Amino acid sequence: MDIKQLRYFIAIAEQGTISKAAEHLHMAQPPLSRQLKMMEDELGVVLFDRNKKKKVTLTAQGELFLKKAKKLLHGMEEAILEVKEFSEEISGTLSVGSTIYCAPILLSNLKEFRQKYSHIKFNIWEGDSTHLMNLLKNRQIDIAITGGPFSQKDIEMKKLEVDPCVLVVPNDYNLAEKVISIQKISEIPLLLLRPTEGTGLFDQIINVFQKLNLTPNILCECHDSAMLLNLVEMGFGATILPLSMINQKLMKEFKIISIQDNPWISEPALVWRANSYLSASTREFLRLFNN
């Protein structure tokens, strides 16, 4: 059995059918089926159960073998990367993910990183915390910047500065307060950014209102941050955003009001895989946060 066969096996497990796995691997189905049969004959076990719709599901032995196969493959990939980077200049691709609320933190550091390493390429993902943790686990990204939760094992993290939320309203809105109560916020038409999946700031906002027995006046649940700010600028209502998202341009276009006894404070963190080789570009990016 060789590394190539392990890749075949993992592809079949992840794609769910041999035909989809063959397409994913850019090869014909019959050779892939033969490779799987050779693996099962060598191991003396059935790795997949097949049904009449040609879908495959892992057997108990298959589940165990998948974990071991991924570990072996990841170890090989890390060894190859480490050898290639030995005594070489920092190069390659930096793969990083961020929640929409942590994007300003990512962008500000990417700018500095880009100035120092102009030849590095980037692979950037956006999603909620759960999605980013899955990308990290599956090695599609090397670093995530997110506000949690951090329930997964085998990760390391560095907590960043806390990020309090503020109320963002149009400049012509009739609000003179520099600090506003949650009671008053509940009476204002609100436009809230809501993720398509997972939990986030939207849920935290709703939970606080519920605990205080307040019914917020939510005019719109928006799934796009650019659209959200356009709606606020047009005078549809106000929104609640982390302070890090408020740049100089937004400060001129909107009123930024602090929240009294603020319960909405994000605690972003830099997260990466523990006990795993980090590429040179990833290590250099992490060093930015230690300065």
Side-chain angles (χ1 to χ4, degrees):
M1 194 178 301
D2 58 27
I3 291 294
K4 185 180 290 185
Q5 287 177 308
L6 293 182
R7 293 184 190 278
Y8 292 162
F9 167 69
I10 292 170
I12 295 170
E14 291 180 343
Q15 297 298 321
T17 68
I18 295 177
S19 60
K20 286 184 179 179
E23 184 179 345
H24 176 75
L25 293 165
H26 305 291
M27 63 185 294
Q29 182 176 334
L32 183 58
S33 297
R34 286 196 296 272
Q35 290 291 333
L36 175 58
K37 180 67 167 57
M38 289 169 60
M39 292 178 68
E40 290 182 323
D41 288 345
E42 183 177 343
L43 292 169
V45 299
V46 176
L47 296 171
F48 294 99
D49 288 324
R50 287 81 161 170
N51 64 21
K52 293 180 180 179
K53 295 182 179 180
K54 297 185 178 180
K55 290 185 177 181
V56 295
T57 54
L58 287 164
T59 61
Q61 296 96 324
E63 290 278 4
L64 174 62
F65 191 62
L66 180 63
K67 292 179 182 178
K68 300 295 184 181
K70 283 186 173 182
K71 187 174 182 180
L72 283 168
L73 191 59
H74 292 156
M76 176 62 74
E77 290 171 346
E78 288 180 359
I80 292 170
L81 179 61
E82 189 169 358
V83 169
K84 283 184 175 180
E85 290 188 340
F86 187 77
S87 299
E88 286 188 1
E89 292 184 359
I90 295 170
S91 60
T93 301
L94 177 66
S95 297
V96 59
S98 170
T99 63
I100 192 168
Y101 297 114
C102 294
I105 301 172
L106 170 62
L107 292 173
S108 63
N109 284 279
L110 278 182
K111 183 178 180 181
E112 182 179 346
F113 187 81
R114 175 68 175 169
Q115 290 172 346
K116 190 173 182 181
Y117 303 106
S118 59
H119 56 287
I120 295 289
K121 296 180 180 179
F122 301 100
N123 190 351
I124 300 175
W125 297 70
E126 183 184 281
D128 63 84
S129 180
T130 302
H131 180 59
L132 294 178
M133 290 299 101
N134 286 332
L135 291 175
L136 198 64
K137 178 182 176 183
N138 295 329
R139 296 170 182 262
Q140 290 175 268
I141 60 174
D142 298 309
I143 310 173
I145 303 179
T146 173
F150 308 107
S151 59
Q152 297 227 9
K153 298 179 181 179
D154 303 321
I155 63 167
E156 293 186 39
M157 71 167 67
K158 176 181 176 59
K159 290 187 177 181
L160 305 176
E161 290 185 15
V162 295
D163 195 6
C165 287
V166 292
L167 185 70
V168 181
V169 298
N171 268 326
D172 58 358
Y173 218 73
N174 188 23
L175 274 177
E177 294 96 328
K178 292 186 177 180
V179 179
I180 192 168
S181 68
I182 298 174
Q183 167 75 52
K184 182 71 174 178
I185 293 175
S186 70
E187 301 168 2
I188 299 171
L190 290 175
L191 316 171
L192 298 180
L193 192 62
R194 184 170 191 174
T196 53
E197 58 181 355
T199 60
L201 179 59
F202 178 89
D203 299 272
Q204 296 173 27
I205 292 171
I206 299 302
N207 289 339
V208 168
F209 282 127
Q210 289 176 344
K211 287 179 181 178
L212 297 175
N213 294 316
L214 296 172
T215 302
N217 180 13
I218 300 177
L219 180 66
C220 173
E221 296 177 8
C222 191
H223 304 283
D224 182 272
S225 58
M227 177 67 72
L228 179 80
L229 291 173
N230 284 334
L231 290 171
V232 174
E233 187 176 12
M234 291 170 64
F236 277 69
T239 191
I240 299 169
L241 293 174
L243 184 59
S244 65
M245 294 186 73
I246 312 301
N247 54 33
Q248 292 296 323
K249 182 174 181 291
L250 293 182
M251 285 185 176
K252 293 178 181 178
E253 295 177 353
F254 303 102
K255 289 180 181 177
I256 311 301
I257 304 175
S258 299
I259 299 171
Q260 183 179 335
D261 300 322
N262 197 342
W264 301 307
I265 298 179
S266 173
E267 298 181 343
L270 200 63
V271 186
W272 62 97
R273 288 183 300 276
N275 305 315
S276 176
Y277 177 76
L278 297 177
S279 68
S281 58
T282 302
R283 295 196 302 272
E284 285 303 304
F285 186 72
L286 287 172
R287 287 194 183 100
L288 289 179
F289 294 86
N290 293 324
N291 295 335

